[in-house]
Structures are given as structure tokens and as C-alpha cells.
Amino acid sequence: MYAHIVSLGVLGLEGYPVTVEAHLSGGLPKFVMVGLPDNAVKESSERVRSAVKNLHCPWPSSHITVNFAPADVRKTGSLYDLPVFIGILAAQGQMPQPGPHQAFLGELGLDGTLRPIDGTLPMALAAVRSGITELFVPAENAAEAAVAEGLTVYPARSALDVVRHLRGEQALRPAQSDGYDESGQWLGPDFCDVRGQTEARRAMEVAAAGGHNLLMVGPPGTGKSMLAKRLPGILPPLSYEEALETTAIYSVAGLVRAGTGLIRERPFRSPHHSVSSTALAGGGSMPRPGEVSLAHNGVLFLDELPEFSRDALEVLRQPLEDGRVTVSRVSGCATYPCRFMLVAAMNPCKCGYFGSGVRECTCTPSAIDRYRQRISGPLLDRIDIHVEARAVEYSDLAAETGGESSAAIRARVEAVRRLQRERYAGMGFLCNAHLPSGILRRYCRLTPVAQTMLQNAFEKMGYSARAYDRILRVARTIADLNGVETIGTAELMEALQYRRMDRPAAAK
């Protein structure tokens, strides 16, 4: 007696079809699983056995062999409980053999209830690519799976619900996709709460308009964290494609709330400075997305930047440059996207008051230098904008009205981002921060006076080639905000003042 059931698996962010074969033969009763199952998959034998008996279905007194194909790819997790359950019942003739257009996912409780699983969205998208038209999942995962277009998703609370549906006794009601509205309204913290900080607010707007990385330097209590938390509110809403990518990452990480579909707000991740390099980049015995991937299409905020370990900071260099990170382990290799905006904050020295005018600094010159040297030159090169967050004046704090609202800033940012999408249509990137070096000069043309100014600054400051490119990208964004095509002295001068933390080339 034999049955085969279609299921799915996920490797990195990519789903793939899995065939679960169940064969009942003579001999002493035994339950054997083959096809590279991990421990969680092997343990499903006991969960399935208990679920079958507690749902008052017959358990075969024969040798049971379950194979997971393809057999050369390791199967992980508890999502195969439901297809194994269905396969054993179908092999006994207790229910019809499901068709190749039907796939099953779900973890079983001992009483047969279905529990939510991770990675539902990537597997649902893989089901569509494989020609599967019906997908049976736990009820908590139904909204997430229903995002995949062309797929009928059946939510079930129990394995018995699935059996009754397949027998034609009681049909399950398909889940409905709630669609996606790209005009999403920001309901988080607003920029109007920020007092003073005119220069820092302008830098945040430039960073948002061009997708640039940003570093804020200032004494404690000046509002650096407050500004960073409001950055997602001035970024454009997630497009459908961005929401799909973001939700897939969170689905694999098990961070999608039960009963929800697509993530609609840009991620904001703020790990503690004690975070390890593995937690930032991703990893583990089985590859999992790290903080850089969880911040994909959003913001990664690193507060107290020099307090992070050297290893953790240096692991950011390749993701910042490539927009993706590859995690290699003995059990497999996975590549995750990580196109995020890095926003960092730090004090000017260890005590925090060097040059602040608020309190006398107690650090020696050598201590200040050692503190700043914790941030390597190559990492600083990859941060486009360095801005000073100054102490807030009393008159600003006591003012009855705050600054400009996030909605007003967002409108300008969206207009500039729209201009960039049209300019770079079909090139594989959407904003100035990702403009490749090879075509940089075509889109970042300077007036003759601005060209001379940049040459003088380059020779005096000893900028690296990477810093030179990033100055041009920031100047291009400022020109877009100012509504001019050619970069002039005003745009270039503002871009140059955003490189305050650069060190002479010999010191890097």
C-alpha cells in the first residue's frame, strides 16, 4: 500500500517542492523515515502516531516507510507532520489519494490540532511556481499564504478538518487575501515632536530622499535616538514587491504575527551593542537571517556605535556594499537580501561632551582619538552622511509648537524618490545611494566651479575613491531636492559638510 503527498520546504528564502511518500508493508511494526530528515522531522513519527489514535483513526500494524524527496536535500522543521499524517491514512485507503495540485503543510499536536509553522510565504510562492493550486495550512498561517496569487489556501484548525474536506464530508472555506495598499499611512512617532536640530533634520531628509546611510555625532540627550526612530515615517511606503520580500524574510525567521498577511511598514531594527557578528549577519547551525536582513527595505539603527565589537562592525562592510549576505554552514548555504539604510549614533568622546559647550570634557586627546578609532576608516567610508547633533536650546524646548511634521517631509521625499525611479527605470536600482560607480559621472554632472571645489577638497582632505563616489551621490540627492539637474556649488558644499568624520587617507 502506497501513497504520495505533495509538500514544500524552504532553503534560505527560496521554497521548493517536497514529495512525501508513505509505504505500508508486511513485517514487524516499525516506523522508518528516510530522505535526510533532521531530528524535528524524525520526531514527527510520535506526533503523527498520537494524532492518528486521538482522532480515532486506525493505526496500521505494519512496517511504515516514509520517504522525503528529493533525498539529497536536508528536510528541517515540523511542517511535514500533516503530509505524513495524510500519507499514512491514504496508504491505508482511509481517504482518497490527494492530487498533485494539492499540497500540505503543518505541525501536529498530539490531539491532531494544527499549529503554525515558519516560512509559509516563501513556500506558498514556490507552490505557485510548481503548478500547485491548493494549499492546506494551519489557520494562523492562512493570511500569509493567501498573499500568493493564483493559489487557493485552505485554513484548518485540525488534521481531521483536512481529512473531512478531502473525503467530501465538510468543505473548508478558502482564505481570502486582504490585498495591499501602497499608500500606507504612517502611524508611528512624528518629526513634529523633535525640537531644534535643524541641521540633523535636514540630513535625515537628504538620507531618506536618496536612501543614504547616516551617522549622527553628539552629546547625550540631544535626540539622536529620537530622530532615528522617526526616520521610517518619512520614507516612502513599501511597494508590493518590497512588502513581499520583507514578509518572506520575517516568515523564515518566524516573526510574522499569526493571522497577518504582508508586512506594511518599513522595518526598524535596533540591536543592542552587545550583539554578536553572527546575530548581525545571520547564521546558526541552520542558516537564519540576521539583523541586516531583518532590516531589509527599512532601517538598521546602531546606537552607541563605538560600543559594538570590532567583529560586529566589520561584518557590516560587505552587506552595505552588496545589498545581500551569504551565510555558509556545514548544513547548507543561504543568501539573504539586506538592502537597508544604516543609521548610527555616537558620542564625540567617551564622556560624551567633547566640543558640546554643555559640559566640560574630561577625556584626554589620546582617549578621544582611541574612542573614535573604534570606527574603522573603511566603515566610515560606507556611511554617506556624517552630521552633528547639537545640544538643544532652551527656547526650542519651551516652544509651544514643534518642527515640521513627518507627513510634510515624506511628501518631498516621495517626490524625489519618484524622480529617481523614473531616471533609473530598468537599471536594477531605485535610488541615488545605489547608483553604480560605472555610470556615476553620467548622472552626477557638476558645474565647472563645483568641479574645481571638489578637486580642492579631495586634495586637501585626502578622500578615498569610495568617499568621492558617495559625495557625488549625496550631492545628486541634494540637487534633486533643490529641483536642479546639474550639481552646483550649493549642493556640493552641503554634501562636503556631511563628511566631517573622514580621516586623512594615511590614517585609515
Side-chain angles (χ1 to χ4, degrees), residues 159-190:
L160 194 57
D161 296 339
V162 179
V163 173
R164 287 172 177 167
H165 176 92
L166 297 174
R167 286 175 176 170
E169 298 173 357
Q170 186 176 350
L172 291 169
R173 180 177 296 178
Q176 299 297 319
S177 174
D178 56 1
Y180 186 73
D181 179 12
E182 294 188 8
S183 64
Q185 180 182 1
W186 175 251
L187 301 176
D190 199 287

Side-chain angles (χ1 to χ4, degrees), residues 7-322:
S7 186
L8 298 144
V10 64
L11 183 61
L13 283 186
E14 293 296 321
Y16 60 93
V18 173
T19 300
V20 179
E21 301 174 297
H23 179 238
L24 309 183
S25 60
L28 293 175
K30 192 176 182 181
F31 199 144
V32 177
M33 288 188 170
V34 295
L36 281 183
D38 72 351
N39 287 335
V41 177
K42 291 177 181 177
E43 289 173 355
S44 69
S45 61
E46 297 305 317
R47 291 192 294 270
V48 170
R49 187 197 309 270
S50 297
V52 168
K53 293 183 177 180
N54 286 322
L55 292 176
H56 308 293
C57 298
W59 180 259
S61 56
S62 56
H63 189 285
I64 304 171
T65 303
V66 174
N67 178 49
F68 301 93
D72 60 343
V73 179
R74 180 164 293 280
K75 317 305 180 305
T76 62
S78 56
L79 67 157
Y80 299 110
D81 290 4
L82 179 59
V84 170
F85 177 95
I86 298 295
I88 290 175
L89 292 189
Q92 292 183 88
Q94 296 295 319
M95 58 177 291
Q97 163 79 52
H101 64 289
Q102 297 173 313
F104 303 83
L105 300 168
E107 176 186 333
L108 286 176
L110 298 184
D111 59 352
T113 56
L114 283 173
R115 293 172 176 164
I117 57 173
D118 298 337
T120 304
L121 179 55
M123 289 187 284
L125 296 173
V128 175
R129 293 194 297 269
S130 302
I132 295 168
T133 57
E134 296 182 11
L135 181 64
F136 295 81
V137 297
E140 291 86 348
N141 297 120
E144 182 183 339
V147 169
E149 298 178 353
L151 188 66
T152 302
V153 177
Y154 291 104
R157 298 285 178 185
S158 167
L160 194 57
D161 296 339
V162 179
V163 173
R164 287 172 177 167
H165 176 92
L166 297 174
R167 286 175 176 170
E169 298 173 357
Q170 186 176 350
L172 291 169
R173 180 177 296 178
Q176 299 297 319
S177 174
D178 56 1
Y180 186 73
D181 179 12
E182 294 188 8
S183 64
Q185 180 182 1
W186 175 251
L187 301 176
D190 199 287
F191 259 93
C192 67
D193 301 328
V194 179
R195 310 289 173 151
Q197 299 296 1
T198 304
E199 183 180 350
R201 289 168 63 100
R202 168 65 177 180
M204 297 288 280
E205 182 176 344
V206 172
H212 303 288
N213 302 319
L214 178 138
L215 171 65
M216 291 180 284
V217 183
T222 53
K224 300 186 294 293
S225 301
M226 189 177 186
L227 284 162
K229 291 175 182 177
R230 281 152 178 77
L231 179 58
I234 63 173
L235 292 173
L238 285 172
S239 66
Y240 176 76
E241 291 74 17
E242 289 176 327
L244 208 60
E245 286 181 339
T246 304
T247 307
I249 295 170
Y250 275 69
S251 177
V252 169
L255 298 177
V256 175
R257 295 193 304 272
T260 60
L262 287 177
I263 291 174
R264 298 173 183 273
E265 294 182 354
R266 292 192 179 271
F268 180 85
R269 304 292 298 183
S270 181
H272 190 261
H273 60 73
S274 61
V275 67
S276 67
S277 58
T278 301
L280 270 180
S285 56
M286 290 301 298
R288 305 282 285 182
E291 291 291 339
V292 296
S293 297
L294 294 173
H296 181 59
N297 292 322
V299 176
L300 177 65
F301 177 50
L302 303 183
D303 199 7
E304 304 295 343
L305 186 65
E307 301 301 329
F308 285 77
S309 70
R310 187 79 173 198
D311 289 344
L313 292 181
E314 294 308 303
V315 84
L316 293 172
R317 288 162 58 173
Q318 183 255 341
L320 284 171
E321 202 71 25
D322 299 339

